[in-house]
Amino acid sequence: MIRLNDITSDILSYHPIADIGLIEKAYVYSAKVHKGQVRLSGEPYLTHPLEVAGILTKMKMDEVSVASGLLHDTVEDTLTELSDIEQMFGKEVTGIVDGVTKISKIHFLSKEVQQAENIRKMILAMSSDIRVILVKLADRLHNMQTLGFQPPEKQEAIARETLDIYAPLAGRMGIYWLKSTLEDLSLFYLEPKIYKDIRLGIAQRQEGQEKFIREIKEILSRKLSEANIKTTIKGRHKHFYSIYQKMMEQDLNIDQVYDILAFRIIVNSVKDCYEVLGLIHSMWNPVAGRFKDYISLPKANMYQSLHTTVISPLGERMEIQIRTWDMDKIAEEGIAAHWRYKEGYESGKEMYTQYAWMKHLLESQKSLTNPKEFLETVRLDLFSNEVYVFTPKGEVKELPRGATPIDFAYSIHSEIGNRCIGAKVNEKIVRLTHQLETGDIIQILTSKNHKPSKDWLKFVKTSTAKTRIRQWIKKEGRIESITIGRDILEKELKKFNLNLTRHFSSEQLLDVVHRFSLNSVDNLLANIGYGKISAKQVLNRLVPHLGIKEDKTEGLVQKIVHKIKRKKGDTGIKVKGMSDMLIRFAKCCHPLAGESVIGYITRGRGVTIHSKKCRHIQDVDPDRLVEVEWEPSEDMTYLAKLKVTNIAKKGMLSILSAIFTQSEANILDANVQTTIDKKGISTFTIEVSDYAQLRDIISKIKKIKEVLKVERI
Ligand code: MN
């Protein structure tokens, strides 16, 4: 069993000014709260946090991480509260312990492979401090090393999760020894038979292999020293999981896998790397397509190396990696190789927070040409804008930050969104405006007859939800408009004892449809419903087809035209592209001539004119808005209501009325009040001919010294 002394002397070896006091304090506390607890192995529980701390020193982590490793299970498995940890060990340790505890609570229910990447991203998203992941990885390694004490079904589940989630995370952090160790341990539990075959296969060939490694090393050393290159050469068999992958890919058994050996040549400079590569390729034939230059194109985690596969003197393939000592350090230690433990080093600052490391990666990656890898790196950086949540079945969904249960519902299926009446987050009923957080499990409550609400548009975050809600409103609005349009048209036809289905053939109807440049009868009816086309216009075009007597037809048309003309003249507004629309002014914003306005097509009631600033038109279906413009008109007047607030003063009313008179505006109504704090509040209803006139009046009132505020109401 590892002892505290081993841990402290380890950390001092690479980080001489480490705060050992913090680690000792964490040890004492952990020992106290875990006292009496035992692991399945029968050992005292404390062995686990101690081993985790030991792994963290192997990863060359700082004292904060090591202390967090000692404390990582205290909140989950003892009575310790996060606030206790914060009081004793400060914010950084607390943040890490909290993060590790949260990750442990995620239930990886889904077995689907494509979910694994989402879960990895979720873990990264939950770890605002990258040390959370590293402590979690150390925890997982020790749990894998002691997995034998768990019951078989647990062994399989944990091993699967390790292979799918944690080993790739270790790879992303660039810690390859950890990645391979986790993979091999997982393989041992997931494919025990194949694992044993591989172990046996390697053991049987060991003698031959050792001899072979010696020979290759000798040849290489001789050749390289002739070229005056100083090198260190390492030969080893590949790790089990990569041999296993090869067996699966090529459907081989272990005896058929020959290239299980890999060599690593470490040199002093980048120039030497390429020289060594040249020499090797001149001695042994390279296998086509296997050369990779990660020196000029580093991996996203900053891994650098030259990889090549050549045919060995025995006719077998062998893999060779060539790199400098610096590159080797990065490949061995991953992220930890970037820590700089030096004088003036302040733990936590910059280095760890906010993915400083990832950002650093990004900076050094600008030349990266593999777009997928680049994207992955960038995505890490953008995690703060996303949340990862679960369906009740354990599927992970990625949503933008601020997303609500409605967004989630639409991300599953548009029908689930349309019928959503409520949601449970982690088993508790929440409002539909509730903002989801990473790790939440969400259950959507639906009802068959429920319909989406326009109000949802105000808070949903995803474009999918927005589009679906709009589509629904539009579709629903259209169905309604078709019904209304049909009613209007039928009513009009009835006046002439006609019936749409009985007296008109579909050809006749379609002909009229085409004359309005539309493509279906439903479209025509919807347009009548919206008020874009009047029933009379349609009738006018339908009637000649029916062969009604000339005189009667003329009379009808004239009547219609006459009616339309009368209506049109008295509004002072023109709808672009349409001549005879029923116009009314919105009561909510009372638009005035000259003000910029927009028309809203109502269902069957023509066009309502709103001020462009009116709140009510901001959320409506844009398809129902039409451009309108003012028609110059001499004798039109409009009503406007003004509220004037002023310092109370005698004669104020007469000053104000003088302005209205001067500006030739009629006062229809006036109301003056004085408040307790000696302010005068007057409201006027006046008649003006256009917006310009009103603006002029307002600016004149504002110039009065005592006036505090003028508002249109
Ligand atoms: Mn643990």
Side-chain angles (χ1 to χ4, degrees):
M1 184 181 118
I2 192 169
R3 293 164 310 157
L4 180 65
N5 270 348
D6 305 326
I7 293 167
T8 51
S9 65
D10 254 11
I11 191 167
L12 287 174
S13 70
Y14 60 83
H15 180 19
I17 55 161
D19 179 2
I20 297 301
L22 183 76
I23 296 172
E24 286 170 345
K25 202 165 121 194
Y27 170 80
V28 170
Y29 185 81
S30 186
K32 189 179 96 186
V33 294
H34 285 299
K35 195 173 181 189
Q37 296 178 341
V38 284
R39 300 203 90 210
L40 286 177
S41 61
E43 287 177 299
Y45 196 88
L46 186 65
T47 54
H48 171 61
L50 263 176
E51 292 291 347
V52 170
I55 294 166
L56 286 162
T57 59
K58 201 180 168 196
M59 287 157 74
K60 299 216 164 85
M61 298 298 299
D62 67 338
E63 62 271 38
V64 171
S65 313
V66 174
S68 304
L70 286 165
L71 298 166
H72 80 273
D73 276 332
T74 56
V75 173
E76 203 179 352
D77 295 338
T78 77
L79 294 172
T80 304
E81 304 268 348
L82 270 181
S83 53
D84 303 330
I85 301 284
E86 185 163 352
Q87 240 174 19
M88 279 177 286
F89 302 98
K91 279 215 164 69
E92 279 182 66
V93 172
T94 312
I96 297 172
V97 172
D98 186 30
V100 174
T101 308
K102 275 186 186 144
I103 293 174
S104 312
K105 282 187 182 148
I106 302 175
H107 299 289
F108 302 98
L109 302 163
S110 175
K111 297 240 184 317
E112 285 173 64
V113 181
Q114 66 264 38
Q115 287 293 305
E117 176 58 19
N118 272 340
I119 293 172
R120 290 194 292 269
K121 281 194 273 183
M122 178 161 71
I123 291 172
L124 288 165
M126 287 171 76
S127 318
S128 51
D129 183 331
I130 207 138
R131 288 175 293 183
V132 170
I133 298 162
L134 299 168
V135 173
K136 184 66 204 172
L137 286 172
D139 175 42
R140 178 50 57 115
L141 176 57
H142 186 240
N143 284 335
M144 284 302 291
Q145 287 165 341
T146 52
L147 197 60
F149 298 101
Q150 296 280 354
E153 66 282 0
K154 262 203 145 172
Q155 290 177 349
E156 200 194 318
I158 294 172
R160 168 63 49 200
E161 187 181 289
T162 303
L163 192 62
D164 288 347
I165 313 287
Y166 292 103
L169 273 179
R172 190 169 285 182
M173 299 291 129
I175 314 167
Y176 288 102
W177 68 266
L178 183 58
K179 179 176 188 269
S180 343
T181 311
L182 289 174
E183 283 172 347
D184 283 1
L185 283 165
S186 303
L187 185 68
F188 176 82
Y189 289 100
L190 292 173
E191 296 287 355
K193 196 186 166 304
I194 300 179
Y195 186 93
K196 273 172 207 150
D197 285 351
I198 295 173
R199 190 170 55 194
L200 196 69
I202 289 173
Q204 280 168 349
R205 287 190 236 170
Q206 194 161 12
E207 214 175 299
Q209 274 172 9
E210 275 170 13
K211 190 167 157 261
F212 178 73
I213 290 173
R214 258 196 323 273
E215 282 168 10
I216 294 292
K217 272 184 169 179
E218 269 173 34
I219 300 172
L220 278 172
S221 306
R222 205 180 323 120
K223 196 86 182 168
L224 295 176
S225 68
E226 275 169 25
N228 235 346
I229 300 170
K230 275 193 187 142
T231 59
T232 298
I233 302 161
K234 298 175 184 173
R236 51 165 189 119
H237 62 74
K238 292 176 185 169
H239 72 282
F240 286 20
Y241 187 70
S242 68
I243 295 171
Y244 166 78
Q245 281 179 309
K246 172 147 284 171
M247 288 164 64
M248 292 301 117
E249 271 163 30
Q250 298 171 20
D251 197 18
L252 305 170
N253 64 45
I254 181 68
D255 301 322
Q256 296 166 310
V257 180
Y258 294 111
D259 50 339
I260 59 170
L261 291 182
F263 289 86
R264 185 171 300 155
I265 301 171
I266 304 168
V267 295
N268 289 327
S269 70
V270 173
K271 187 179 135 274
D272 286 352
C273 291
Y274 289 100
E275 239 182 285
V276 170
L277 179 78
L279 280 169
I280 288 171
H281 283 181
S282 69
M283 274 190 290
W284 300 310
N285 280 334
V287 177
R290 296 297 302 268
F291 170 65
K292 294 214 173 70
D293 183 354
Y294 292 118
I295 290 181
S296 55
L297 290 176
K299 286 194 189 184
N301 57 25
M302 291 181 83
Y303 175 88
Q304 288 186 299
S305 227
L306 298 176
H307 289 190
T308 187
T309 301
V310 296
I311 305 295
S312 77
L314 295 182
E316 289 169 11
R317 289 173 170 211
M318 63 184 181
E319 239 177 64
I320 299 177
Q321 300 172 347
I322 307 158
R323 59 203 188 203
T324 65
W325 287 103
D326 281 348
M327 294 171 192
D328 192 53
K329 187 171 149 74
I330 289 170
E332 289 292 318
E333 296 174 7
I335 188 166
H338 304 278
W339 294 170
R340 293 280 177 267
Y341 299 109
K342 57 182 182 210
E343 210 75 41
Y345 146 95
E346 263 183 278
S347 111
K349 292 262 169 68
E350 287 171 32
M351 197 53 168
Y352 304 108
T353 49
Q354 294 299 309
Y355 293 101
W357 183 67
M358 296 297 176
K359 276 183 186 146
H360 171 58
L361 277 187
L362 210 56
E363 290 303 307
S364 62
Q365 295 294 316
K366 293 215 167 116
S367 58
L368 202 70
T369 52
N370 179 346
K372 195 168 165 254
E373 209 169 356
F374 181 73
L375 199 69
E376 274 184 10
T377 321
V378 177
R379 290 181 69 90
L380 281 172
D381 212 45
L382 295 177
F383 271 142
S384 51
N385 297 323
E386 286 152 12
V387 293
Y388 297 88
V389 296
F390 288 105
T391 67
K393 282 183 182 161
E395 194 185 332
V396 178
K397 293 273 170 194
E398 180 184 326
L399 295 169
R401 183 158 294 281
T404 64
I406 301 282
D407 292 293
F408 177 81
Y410 277 106
S411 80
I412 295 173
H413 195 280
S414 60
E415 275 309 295
I416 297 192
N418 286 343
R419 291 173 182 173
C420 175
I421 51 161
K424 281 183 177 178
V425 169
N426 306 326
E427 317 237 298
K428 273 185 214 135
I429 296 267
V430 296
R431 288 163 165 268
L432 290 178
T433 52
H434 179 87
Q435 300 200 342
L436 305 177
E437 306 237 8
T438 289
D440 283 347
I441 301 171
I442 293 132
Q443 189 190 347
I444 296 296
L445 311 171
T446 57
S447 158
K448 250 194 182 161
N449 302 316
H450 194 72
K451 293 167 179 178
S453 156
K454 205 170 75 183
D455 293 340
W456 291 358
L457 287 172
K458 289 178 190 149
F459 56 79
V460 295
K461 284 282 178 302
T462 54
S463 53
T464 316
K466 278 183 191 155
T467 314
R468 296 273 181 275
I469 297 167
R470 287 213 182 98
Q471 270 172 0
W472 192 89
I473 291 172
K474 211 167 147 183
K475 196 177 135 211
E476 200 67 357
R478 189 177 138 82
I479 292 168
E480 203 182 312
S481 298
I482 292 171
T483 315
I484 292 172
R486 185 182 293 275
D487 278 359
I488 294 174
L489 188 59
E490 291 279 16
K491 249 181 224 160
E492 202 61 36
L493 286 166
K494 214 175 164 188
K495 288 181 191 165
F496 304 95
N497 280 323
L498 293 171
N499 178 286
L500 192 60
T501 38
R502 215 178 314 140
H503 294 102
F504 302 94
S505 70
S506 51
E507 286 79 21
Q508 282 175 307
L509 285 172
L510 275 175
D511 188 48
V512 174
V513 166
H514 295 318
R515 289 223 248 152
F516 282 100
S517 309
L518 298 169
N519 53 18
S520 74
V521 176
D522 274 356
N523 256 346
L524 180 71
L525 294 175
N527 272 293
I528 298 172
Y530 281 148
K532 274 187 182 173
I533 295 171
S534 75
K536 291 177 179 97
Q537 278 177 296
V538 177
L539 205 60
N540 191 14
R541 295 188 183 175
L542 263 180
V543 171
H545 290 282
L546 202 67
I548 290 174
K549 280 178 193 162
E550 287 296 306
D551 56 357
K552 203 181 171 188
T553 313
E554 266 174 19
L556 172 67
V557 172
Q558 271 162 10
K559 213 166 139 192
I560 294 170
V561 170
H562 185 62
K563 251 186 166 175
I564 290 168
K565 268 193 176 158
R566 227 177 42 212
K567 250 177 200 154
K568 187 184 152 196
D570 54 22
T571 58
I573 224 138
K574 207 168 82 188
V575 178
K576 261 189 198 159
M578 275 176 260
S579 53
D580 45 0
M581 295 294 297
L582 180 57
I583 302 283
R584 20 164 118 216
F585 289 97
K587 293 205 174 81
C588 45
C589 54
H590 289 290
L592 285 184
E595 192 173 1
S596 46
V597 284
I598 191 146
Y600 174 69
I601 300 165
T602 62
R603 289 178 189 150
R605 285 184 289 113
V607 174
T608 310
I609 308 302
H610 289 258
S611 156
K612 269 194 178 157
K613 286 182 197 145
C614 178
R615 275 193 308 121
H616 291 102
I617 57 154
Q618 306 304 324
D619 295 331
V620 302
D621 177 1
D623 281 1
R624 293 176 58 179
L625 292 175
V626 284
E627 290 290 327
V628 293
E629 57 193 30
W630 294 97
E631 259 185 339
S633 153
E634 290 300 312
D635 48 358
M636 287 291 300
T637 55
Y638 306 89
L639 297 186
K641 258 187 157 183
L642 289 183
K643 181 177 162 190
V644 181
T645 312
N646 57 274
I647 299 164
K649 186 197 169 187
K650 259 189 190 167
M652 202 59 200
L653 183 61
S654 65
I655 297 173
L656 290 170
S657 6
I659 291 175
F660 295 131
T661 322
Q662 261 173 35
S663 312
E664 295 180 340
N666 277 336
I667 305 172
L668 299 183
D669 184 45
N671 181 359
V672 183
Q673 286 178 320
T674 310
T675 63
I676 0 169
D677 56 345
K678 297 259 167 77
K679 272 183 199 153
I681 295 176
S682 331
T683 50
F684 300 93
T685 308
I686 55 169
E687 215 175 25
V688 292
S689 56
D690 59 21
Y691 189 52
Q693 188 189 4
L694 182 70
R695 227 170 23 210
D696 182 50
I697 292 169
I698 292 174
S699 80
K700 276 183 181 154
I701 297 174
K702 277 187 175 160
K703 278 184 190 144
I704 303 170
K705 204 171 67 190
E706 288 81 9
V707 168
L708 302 168
K709 203 160 71 175
V710 188
E711 296 161 276
R712 240 180 97 195
I713 52 173

